[in-house]
Amino acid sequence: MASYKIPGKIYWCKLLGNPEPGYDETKLEWSTDFAVNADIKNQIERRGLGAKIRNKGGDRGDYLSFTRPLKKTAPNKDGKIENEPVRVIDKDGNTWDNNRKIGNGSEGILTFGIYDVPPSKKFKGGPKPVIYELQVTHYVAPPVKEAFDFTAGVEGNKPNAKDPEGLRVGDKPNANQQENFAGWDQRSS
């Protein structure tokens, strides 16, 4: 099978470490979306993959989704039934550190092949892009997740504000208030 290298931008990269549940959450897989410019899009269409190009608006523009399932549909010649992770490397060709997550908008070169999938009950058949390798040429760190403040924006939730039971935000309820909570029927709302 021939392989192709295309430049583009990386989005929703889940190629590092252990596979994660896929979109339908029934199987484990590695996946990424890879946004391409108009010239690359035309080349992809000429190779019969036009139906695989998506565009949901937003900053991604035109992109291809690549997945590699953990489990193969059939064992290979050695009897192996699990796929290897996608090879991810840095701009110098060194193996990427799996603990260094790749943020949306990172740039890279994606190597893939085109596999002709036979028709089945789940798939009408035809060409499918198969990812081999991702080289990250310009790294963008993912945003840092901050702790969520459950009291933010709630009326009266200021450090010294009193609620109807006389509690301040952050205070622990007394025994009577705990009894009230224990008797609360969650189904009656």
Side-chain angles (χ1 to χ4, degrees):
M1 178 180 341
S3 66
Y4 306 93
K5 289 186 177 209
I6 57 172
K9 287 194 175 187
I10 305 160
Y11 291 90
W12 303 108
C13 185
K14 298 176 189 167
L15 298 176
L16 305 173
N18 294 324
E20 298 185 19
Y23 181 75
D24 63 2
E25 298 189 3
T26 61
K27 62 183 179 201
L28 296 175
E29 64 187 18
W30 295 276
S31 64
T32 191
D33 289 348
F34 199 72
V36 295
N37 64 27
D39 181 47
I40 300 297
K41 176 184 175 185
N42 290 336
Q43 292 178 41
I44 290 169
E45 288 173 336
R46 285 198 307 268
R47 287 179 174 76
L49 294 173
K52 301 293 182 185
I53 297 171
R54 299 176 180 171
N55 189 327
K56 294 183 180 179
D59 57 349
R60 279 187 294 186
D62 295 319
Y63 68 96
L64 290 161
S65 290
F66 291 88
T67 60
R68 179 181 288 179
L70 173 63
K71 301 284 185 187
K72 296 180 179 190
T73 54
N76 66 7
K77 61 183 176 182
D78 299 328
K80 192 173 179 185
I81 60 167
E82 287 192 355
N83 280 315
E84 296 290 326
V86 174
R87 183 170 184 240
V88 180
I89 58 175
D90 65 17
K91 64 182 177 181
D92 299 320
N94 301 312
T95 301
W96 192 266
D97 177 4
N98 281 345
N99 295 318
R100 189 176 180 205
K101 302 296 182 198
I102 301 169
N104 289 344
S106 293
E107 295 175 13
I109 298 171
L110 189 134
T111 305
F112 72 102
I114 300 173
Y115 176 69
D116 193 26
V117 180
S120 68
K121 291 180 183 177
K122 293 183 179 181
F123 188 68
K124 65 180 179 180
K128 177 183 179 190
V130 179
I131 186 170
Y132 296 143
E133 178 182 87
L134 176 64
Q135 181 178 26
V136 180
T137 57
H138 176 75
Y139 174 72
V140 174
V144 176
K145 293 182 181 178
E146 296 181 19
F148 184 76
D149 180 5
F150 288 99
T151 62
V154 177
E155 184 67 32
N157 268 348
K158 298 180 179 79
N160 294 322
K162 298 262 184 181
D163 72 5
E165 269 74 40
L167 292 177
R168 286 182 308 183
V169 173
D171 282 355
K172 293 183 179 177
N174 63 33
N176 291 339
Q177 290 161 332
Q178 287 177 344
E179 281 182 28
N180 291 340
F181 277 17
W184 179 49
D185 182 1
Q186 293 180 351
R187 292 169 288 169
S188 63
S189 51

